[in-house]
Amino acid sequence: LPYSANLSLRNFGLLLFSAGIGTKAGFDFYETLARGQGTDVLLGGALMVVVAGAALFTVGYRFFGIPLN
């Protein structure tokens, strides 16, 4: 097989694998949230992402002079 065809087939296989795993995990995630058991974990994760992002923006802007636009 040519390199480009090989790369395309590998990427397509990874795409199908990821879609299959994501579909199964998404159903379990929805079930957990629907029962009200995962909201604290979801909110905690969102809070960590927001705090880390704000810290990185602040450090980048103040100490390294990276513009925000």
Side-chain angles (χ1 to χ4, degrees), residues 5 11-12 14-17 23-24 27-28 30-31 35 37-38 42-43 46-47 49 55 57 59 62-65:
N11 283 333
F12 185 67
L14 286 172
L15 174 82
L16 290 178
F17 176 73
T23 303
K24 184 173 178 355
F27 179 74
D28 293 337
Y30 173 75
E31 287 295 318
R35 283 185 263 142
Q37 297 173 341
L42 183 67
L43 291 176
L47 180 66
V49 168
F57 275 125
V59 168
R62 290 195 180 171
F63 298 116
F64 297 115

